[in-house]
mmCIF file of all heavy atoms in Angstrom:
data_model
loop_
_atom_site.group_PDB
_atom_site.id
_atom_site.type_symbol
_atom_site.label_atom_id
_atom_site.label_comp_id
_atom_site.label_asym_id
_atom_site.label_seq_id
_atom_site.Cartn_x
_atom_site.Cartn_y
_atom_site.Cartn_z
ATOM 1 N N GLU A 128 13.884 12.830 -10.891
ATOM 2 C CA GLU A 128 14.773 13.632 -10.041
ATOM 3 C C GLU A 128 15.236 12.852 -8.870
ATOM 4 O O GLU A 128 16.351 12.917 -8.430
ATOM 5 C CB GLU A 128 13.859 14.796 -9.531
ATOM 6 C CG GLU A 128 14.627 15.715 -8.612
ATOM 7 C CD GLU A 128 13.870 16.840 -8.067
ATOM 8 O OE1 GLU A 128 12.699 17.169 -8.578
ATOM 9 O OE2 GLU A 128 14.349 17.583 -7.163
ATOM 10 N N ALA A 129 14.344 11.948 -8.363
ATOM 11 C CA ALA A 129 14.756 11.103 -7.236
ATOM 12 C C ALA A 129 15.894 10.209 -7.608
ATOM 13 O O ALA A 129 16.860 10.011 -6.902
ATOM 14 C CB ALA A 129 13.513 10.315 -6.665
ATOM 15 N N TRP A 130 15.807 9.632 -8.789
ATOM 16 C CA TRP A 130 16.851 8.764 -9.379
ATOM 17 C C TRP A 130 18.171 9.507 -9.413
ATOM 18 O O TRP A 130 19.212 8.965 -9.079
ATOM 19 C CB TRP A 130 16.395 8.295 -10.756
ATOM 20 C CG TRP A 130 17.520 7.695 -11.617
ATOM 21 C CD1 TRP A 130 18.223 8.402 -12.550
ATOM 22 C CD2 TRP A 130 17.939 6.353 -11.687
ATOM 23 N NE1 TRP A 130 19.069 7.533 -13.179
ATOM 24 C CE2 TRP A 130 18.876 6.298 -12.656
ATOM 25 C CE3 TRP A 130 17.600 5.200 -10.972
ATOM 26 C CZ2 TRP A 130 19.582 5.089 -12.978
ATOM 27 C CZ3 TRP A 130 18.207 4.028 -11.312
ATOM 28 C CH2 TRP A 130 19.228 3.932 -12.211
ATOM 29 N N GLY A 131 18.149 10.760 -9.814
ATOM 30 C CA GLY A 131 19.273 11.545 -9.951
ATOM 31 C C GLY A 131 19.896 12.019 -8.699
ATOM 32 O O GLY A 131 21.132 12.304 -8.640
ATOM 33 N N ARG A 132 19.200 11.971 -7.607
ATOM 34 C CA ARG A 132 19.699 12.374 -6.309
ATOM 35 C C ARG A 132 20.473 11.323 -5.582
ATOM 36 O O ARG A 132 21.223 11.600 -4.666
ATOM 37 C CB ARG A 132 18.528 12.913 -5.417
ATOM 38 C CG ARG A 132 17.961 14.187 -5.838
ATOM 39 C CD ARG A 132 17.123 14.838 -4.741
ATOM 40 N NE ARG A 132 16.465 16.004 -5.062
ATOM 41 C CZ ARG A 132 15.968 16.892 -4.160
ATOM 42 N NH1 ARG A 132 16.086 16.562 -2.910
ATOM 43 N NH2 ARG A 132 15.397 18.003 -4.545
ATOM 44 N N ILE A 133 20.343 10.102 -5.987
ATOM 45 C CA ILE A 133 20.979 8.957 -5.304
ATOM 46 C C ILE A 133 22.141 8.445 -6.112
ATOM 47 O O ILE A 133 21.886 8.023 -7.277
ATOM 48 C CB ILE A 133 19.969 7.820 -5.004
ATOM 49 C CG1 ILE A 133 18.842 8.328 -4.119
ATOM 50 C CG2 ILE A 133 20.690 6.685 -4.409
ATOM 51 C CD1 ILE A 133 19.294 8.825 -2.759
ATOM 52 N N ALA A 134 23.243 8.446 -5.542
ATOM 53 C CA ALA A 134 24.435 7.886 -6.237
ATOM 54 C C ALA A 134 24.450 6.385 -6.144
ATOM 55 O O ALA A 134 24.323 5.823 -5.056
ATOM 56 C CB ALA A 134 25.783 8.452 -5.582
ATOM 57 N N ARG A 135 24.537 5.695 -7.195
ATOM 58 C CA ARG A 135 24.636 4.227 -7.254
ATOM 59 C C ARG A 135 26.028 3.758 -7.264
ATOM 60 O O ARG A 135 26.805 4.142 -8.093
ATOM 61 C CB ARG A 135 23.890 3.649 -8.502
ATOM 62 C CG ARG A 135 22.380 3.594 -8.333
ATOM 63 C CD ARG A 135 21.546 4.558 -9.083
ATOM 64 N NE ARG A 135 21.962 5.141 -10.240
ATOM 65 C CZ ARG A 135 21.734 6.418 -10.527
ATOM 66 N NH1 ARG A 135 21.031 7.174 -9.688
ATOM 67 N NH2 ARG A 135 22.096 6.940 -11.691
ATOM 68 N N PRO A 136 26.456 2.912 -6.296
ATOM 69 C CA PRO A 136 27.882 2.510 -6.214
ATOM 70 C C PRO A 136 28.287 1.837 -7.519
ATOM 71 O O PRO A 136 27.648 0.838 -7.996
ATOM 72 C CB PRO A 136 27.830 1.545 -5.041
ATOM 73 C CG PRO A 136 26.558 1.838 -4.271
ATOM 74 C CD PRO A 136 25.538 2.338 -5.272
ATOM 75 N N GLU A 137 29.471 2.281 -8.057
ATOM 76 C CA GLU A 137 29.926 1.774 -9.312
ATOM 77 C C GLU A 137 30.788 0.524 -9.081
ATOM 78 O O GLU A 137 31.046 -0.221 -10.037
ATOM 79 C CB GLU A 137 30.659 2.800 -10.082
ATOM 80 C CG GLU A 137 29.781 4.001 -10.548
ATOM 81 C CD GLU A 137 30.535 4.959 -11.427
ATOM 82 O OE1 GLU A 137 31.785 4.653 -11.656
ATOM 83 O OE2 GLU A 137 30.005 6.032 -11.730
ATOM 84 N N VAL A 138 31.151 0.269 -7.867
ATOM 85 C CA VAL A 138 32.093 -0.875 -7.601
ATOM 86 C C VAL A 138 31.553 -2.159 -8.012
ATOM 87 O O VAL A 138 32.263 -3.080 -8.568
ATOM 88 C CB VAL A 138 32.478 -0.915 -6.032
ATOM 89 C CG1 VAL A 138 31.262 -1.118 -5.228
ATOM 90 C CG2 VAL A 138 33.504 -1.953 -5.840
ATOM 91 N N PHE A 139 30.251 -2.346 -7.967
ATOM 92 C CA PHE A 139 29.590 -3.646 -8.288
ATOM 93 C C PHE A 139 29.575 -3.831 -9.825
ATOM 94 O O PHE A 139 29.498 -4.916 -10.334
ATOM 95 C CB PHE A 139 28.195 -3.732 -7.720
ATOM 96 C CG PHE A 139 28.259 -3.619 -6.267
ATOM 97 C CD1 PHE A 139 27.555 -2.555 -5.604
ATOM 98 C CD2 PHE A 139 28.922 -4.450 -5.372
ATOM 99 C CE1 PHE A 139 27.568 -2.396 -4.250
ATOM 100 C CE2 PHE A 139 28.922 -4.367 -4.041
ATOM 101 C CZ PHE A 139 28.247 -3.248 -3.412
ATOM 102 N N GLN A 140 29.639 -2.730 -10.537
ATOM 103 C CA GLN A 140 29.624 -2.826 -12.008
ATOM 104 C C GLN A 140 30.937 -3.310 -12.539
ATOM 105 O O GLN A 140 31.074 -3.681 -13.685
ATOM 106 C CB GLN A 140 29.269 -1.439 -12.600
ATOM 107 C CG GLN A 140 27.915 -0.923 -12.281
ATOM 108 C CD GLN A 140 27.667 0.502 -12.718
ATOM 109 O OE1 GLN A 140 27.277 1.343 -12.020
ATOM 110 N NE2 GLN A 140 27.873 0.731 -14.044
ATOM 111 N N GLN A 141 31.972 -3.390 -11.651
ATOM 112 C CA GLN A 141 33.297 -3.770 -12.089
ATOM 113 C C GLN A 141 33.493 -5.283 -11.835
ATOM 114 O O GLN A 141 34.559 -5.845 -12.264
ATOM 115 C CB GLN A 141 34.334 -2.995 -11.233
ATOM 116 C CG GLN A 141 34.316 -1.543 -11.475
ATOM 117 C CD GLN A 141 35.182 -0.803 -10.457
ATOM 118 O OE1 GLN A 141 36.002 -1.341 -9.843
ATOM 119 N NE2 GLN A 141 35.017 0.574 -10.431
ATOM 120 N N LEU A 142 32.488 -5.970 -11.392
ATOM 121 C CA LEU A 142 32.653 -7.421 -11.262
ATOM 122 C C LEU A 142 32.717 -8.198 -12.539
ATOM 123 O O LEU A 142 32.064 -7.740 -13.569
ATOM 124 C CB LEU A 142 31.308 -7.976 -10.535
ATOM 125 C CG LEU A 142 31.157 -7.602 -9.022
ATOM 126 C CD1 LEU A 142 29.833 -8.119 -8.588
ATOM 127 C CD2 LEU A 142 32.230 -8.102 -8.175
#
Side-chain angles (χ1 to χ4, degrees):
E128 182 180 351
W130 164 266
R132 289 198 183 193
I133 299 299
R135 277 109 23 218
E137 295 185 4
V138 61
F139 304 118
Q140 295 172 235
Q141 300 170 10
L142 293 175

